[in-house]
Amino acid sequence: MINGTEQDERIYLEEIKERISLALHRVADRVREFSEELRQNKQYIYEHQHGLDEADMVAAGQSINRMVNVGAGAVDRRRKLLKLVGSPYFGRIDFQSGIDVKEMPIYVGLATFTDETLRQNLIYDWRAPISSMFYDFELGDAEYETPSGKVKGTIGLKRQYKIRDGVMEFMIESSLSIDDEVLQRELSKSTDDRMKNIVATIQRDQNQVIRNETASVMIIQGVAGSGKTSIALHRIAFLLYRFRDTIKAKDILILSPNKVFADYISNVLPELGEEHIPETEMEELAAELLEKKFPFQTFFQQVASLLEHPHAEFIERIQFKSSFEFVRQLNKYFIHLENNSFTHTELKVAGVVVPFPYIVEKFKAWQRMPMHKRIPEVVQEVLQYIRNAVKRKLTGNEKAKVWELVPRMFNIRSPFEVYRNFYSWIGKPEMLHMMHGSQLEFADVFPLIYCKIRLEGVQTYDHVKHLLVDEMQDYTPVQYAVLSRVFKCRKTILGDVNQPVNPYSASSAEGIEEVFPQGDVVKLFRSYRSTWEIVQFSLRIVPNPNLIAMERHGEEPQVKCFATSHDEAEAIRELVLQFGNTGNQSLGIICKTQRQANALHEKIKAHNVHLLTPDSTSFSTGIIITTVHLAKGLEFDEVIVPFVSASNYKSDIDRRMLYIACTRAMHKLTITYEKERSAFLRG
C-alpha cells in the first residue's frame, strides 16, 4: 500500500508541498515572462505605430490578446496553487476499478494539482466526478459518473486529514463516515469573522444537492444550522466547475437579505478558488424595476413597525398581500382589464370604417405581450387593414390620425392607477394605504412591480444564468411571481420556514413550489451549528419534530433574572468582560429591535463592542450588538439574548424572533430579562 502509515503520510505531505512550491516558482517565472513580453510588444507598437500597415496592426493586436489570455491562465493557475500551499488535501480514497487494475490512491483537495514532470494528477478537485466517492461511499463497493458513463469498483481505504499551515494536525482512518470524528472536531472549534467552506465535511445528502446538475429550480428547505447557505454556495462552485465553458462567476447573482450577510458569506467562493459573485438585495432590485420613481418603506422598516407598533389594520394589509389568493385576484383583474379596457368609438380614416370588433380581436391576439406594448402592434394591423381597403399608400396625416385614435380606444392607465383601481374593483379600497410623503408600504412594492410588468413589460436580467435566493421564507408569492418573470434562468432557492422575521408574510417550501412547479424540493433536517443543549432549548420555543440535532454536548443555556434594567445591563457588561478570557472568537448580543440594540450599545460601548445597523455593509469580528433581523444567517460562538421579559416577547412574531436569536449560538447561550420572564421561556 502506498503511504501505509501515518509517518509515510507525513513524508508524502512534505513531498507534495515541495512539488507545489516548484510549480509555483515555474508559474511565477511564466507570469513574469508574459508581463515582460507584453510590455515589449506594446512598446514596439507604440514606437512603430506610423510605420505599420493595417494588417500588421491587426496581427500585433491579436498577438497581444493571445499573450493576455495565456498570462491570465498562468495567473489563475498561480491563484489555485496558492490555495493548496497551506492545506493541499483533506481526504483520500484508494479506488480499484477492476480486478486487473491497480488500486489507485486519490487525494481530494480544494483544487486539482497536476505535476507537469510526472504528468499525473496528484490531487483531485473536490468537485471532480471521481472525488464524489469520498462523500458518497464508505469502504467497499463504490461508483462515480463520468461523461462517458458509470465507473464501478471498490474503495479499499478511506482517510481524512486536517492540514493547517502545511502541518498535519491529525489523520483519521475513516471506516467511519465523515459526520463522525472530523465533523465533531470542526464543529467544536470557535468561529471567526466569516463563513468558511465545508469541503472536508460535506455529508452524503448535502453532496447530492451540491452536484445536482439537472434541476432548473432547486428549493432547499433546511432547519436552523443545517448549512443550507453553505451548501448553496458550494453548489454554485460546483456548477462553475462543471460548466466552466458556459458559465462564469459574473453570470451568477445572489439575492441576499442584507449587506452584512452578503459580506459574511463573501469569503466562501474565493476560498473555493472561484471569483467573487455579484449580489443584490430585494430593495435594490425593486428600486431598479420601479426606475426609482416611487419611494417605499424597506422590509427592515416593515418588520420594525410590526415589532414596535403592531396595528391590526397594518397586519391585515400585509397578510392579505402575502397570500396566493391575492396573486390570483390580481390575475383575475388583468383578465377583466383585457375584456373591458375599450371605449367603443368609430374609427374612420381615408373613407374606411375599421370595425370595432376587429380592433378588439387584434388586441387580444397579442395577449402574450404586455398591454401597453400591444397598442403599436394594433396600430400596424389597422394601418394594414386601411391600406388593403384603399389599395394605396397612406398619407402622413392619415397615419397620424390612426396613431392618435387607436390609443384613445384603450382605457389603460399607468401601473399605479391600475394598481389603485384594483382595490376598488375587489371592493377593498382601504387596503391601499400610502405612508407619509406618498411612500409605499413595503407590502405594495412588488404588487405594483407586478402590475408594471403586466402593463409595460420589464427589463429582464438575461445576463444572469443562475440566481441564488436566500431566506426564501421572507418573500411572498407576488415577489416570487416577479422573480420568475424577471429572471428566466436556473435558480437555487433556500431558507427555513421556521425562521421568518415576519410570519405575516412568510412563504413555505410548498408555496414556493406552487410558483415554480418544476422545482426539485430538498429538505435538510440535521442541524450542525449548535450544541445538543442549545438545540433542545430552542425547540421548546418553536417545536420542530423533524429537526435532528448533532450529539455534540456543551453547557446548558442560562436564563438570568434581574430586578432592574440597570442590573441587567451591568450583568451583560460583565459577561462581555468575561468573554475576553474564554478563547472564543465571536459573541453576538442579539436584541429584538434596533432601538433596543442602540440603547444597549450606549451603555456598554466602552468594551470594544461593534453595533450593526441597517446601514452596516460589513460583518465585524469580536463582540457585536445587533437585531434578530440582521443576525439571520450569521453564527457566533456565544450569544446573549437580552430583554426577554414578558412585556417584550409576547406575540407570535416575538416567538419567532426569539427562536432565530437562540439558534445563532454555536457553543454558549445566555438569556437575560427583567422582573418577569417571557411565556416562551416557561418550562
Side-chain angles (χ1 to χ4, degrees), residues 277-514:
I277 281 179
E279 59 81 28
T280 191
E281 298 169 62
M282 269 290 190
E283 279 92 347
E284 289 175 330
L285 181 65
E288 212 167 292
L289 292 172
L290 289 172
E291 296 162 4
K292 299 188 167 59
K293 289 177 182 171
F294 295 90
F296 57 81
Q297 176 191 46
T298 65
F299 183 55
F300 192 93
Q301 290 164 343
Q302 182 198 66
V303 173
S305 291
L306 286 168
L307 291 171
E308 294 177 0
H309 316 289
H311 300 303
E313 297 87 354
F314 183 47
I315 292 170
E316 187 187 357
R317 289 195 296 273
I318 291 170
Q319 284 181 312
F320 175 65
K321 293 163 194 177
S322 303
S323 64
F324 275 100
E325 182 52 34
F326 174 72
V327 180
R328 281 192 273 271
Q329 297 239 33
L330 262 178
N331 287 332
K332 277 185 197 167
Y333 180 57
F334 278 100
I335 293 168
H336 164 77
L337 287 181
E338 186 103 5
N339 294 317
N340 298 281
S341 294
F342 316 114
T343 307
H344 196 305
T345 52
E346 187 179 81
L347 195 152
K348 188 175 181 182
V349 175
V352 177
V353 175
V354 183
F356 182 69
Y358 174 86
I359 296 169
V360 172
E361 178 199 327
K362 292 302 173 189
F363 181 79
K364 290 186 176 180
W366 293 94
Q367 63 182 332
R368 297 184 76 83
M369 192 178 271
M371 285 185 167
H372 285 184
K373 291 195 171 175
R374 296 186 211 177
I375 294 171
E377 303 295 340
V378 176
V379 168
Q380 294 300 337
E381 300 266 13
V382 169
L383 288 170
Q384 191 58 46
Y385 183 93
I386 298 167
R387 274 196 291 269
N388 291 344
V390 298
K391 298 196 169 39
R392 64 172 170 82
K393 283 187 175 181
L394 302 184
T395 67
N397 282 342
E398 286 166 343
K399 287 180 189 172
K401 194 170 182 187
V402 173
W403 277 103
E404 180 194 339
L405 292 176
V406 170
R408 270 201 224 157
M409 300 171 89
F410 298 102
N411 187 26
I412 301 168
R413 308 278 181 214
S414 71
F416 184 76
E417 284 178 280
V418 166
Y419 183 51
R420 186 176 58 204
N421 293 344
F422 161 71
Y423 289 103
S424 300
W425 183 74
I426 61 171
K428 294 184 177 182
E430 73 284 355
M431 281 288 163
L432 182 62
H433 175 81
M434 298 302 287
M435 298 171 68
H436 178 70
S438 298
Q439 194 181 37
L440 290 167
E441 289 185 339
F442 185 73
D444 290 310
V445 174
F446 281 86
L448 176 58
I449 292 170
Y450 187 71
C451 290
K452 188 174 186 292
I453 291 171
R454 295 293 300 265
L455 289 169
E456 300 175 351
V458 70
Q459 157 208 350
T460 55
Y461 291 69
D462 292 336
H463 66 282
V464 177
K465 294 180 182 174
H466 199 104
L467 179 71
L468 191 153
V469 181
D470 207 343
E471 303 296 351
M472 67 180 187
Q473 70 281 358
D474 287 332
Y475 304 130
T476 62
V478 74
Q479 284 176 289
Y480 283 111
V482 167
L483 289 180
S484 68
R485 282 167 168 77
V486 172
F487 297 97
K488 304 292 187 187
C489 59
R490 292 176 176 246
K491 299 171 184 73
T492 300
I493 301 172
L494 58 139
D496 178 15
V497 295
N498 284 308
Q499 296 185 72
V501 289
N502 177 3
Y504 306 118
S505 67
S507 286
S508 64
E510 291 71 25
I512 295 160
E513 208 180 341
E514 199 171 316

Side-chain angles (χ1 to χ4, degrees), residues 56 87 106 119 141 159 195 205 210 242 325 418 456-457 496 528 538 631:
D56 289 337
S87 180
I106 295 152
R119 299 198 171 185
D141 292 344
R159 281 178 179 165
M195 185 180 279
D205 57 342
I210 290 166
R242 175 69 182 82
E325 182 52 34
V418 166
E456 300 175 351
D496 178 15
Y528 301 99
S538 305

Side-chain angles (χ1 to χ4, degrees), residues 537-552:
F537 182 89
S538 305
L539 289 175
R540 291 198 287 276
I541 299 166
V542 176
N544 181 358
N546 295 317
L547 189 148
I548 304 163
M550 281 287 290
E551 284 278 352
R552 182 172 70 82

Side-chain angles (χ1 to χ4, degrees), residues 593-612:
T593 67
Q594 192 64 48
R595 190 169 302 168
Q596 290 167 1
N598 295 347
L600 185 58
H601 184 247
E602 276 299 312
K603 290 177 183 173
I604 62 172
K605 66 180 178 185
H607 298 286
N608 193 25
V609 179
H610 304 282
L611 175 69
L612 290 186

Side-chain angles (χ1 to χ4, degrees), residues 89-107:
Y89 46 83
F90 52 80
R92 167 186 171 180
I93 51 172
D94 286 6
F95 181 66
Q96 188 171 15
S97 58
I99 297 168
D100 302 327
V101 182
K102 189 179 168 189
E103 192 173 60
M104 179 172 68
I106 295 152
Y107 284 86

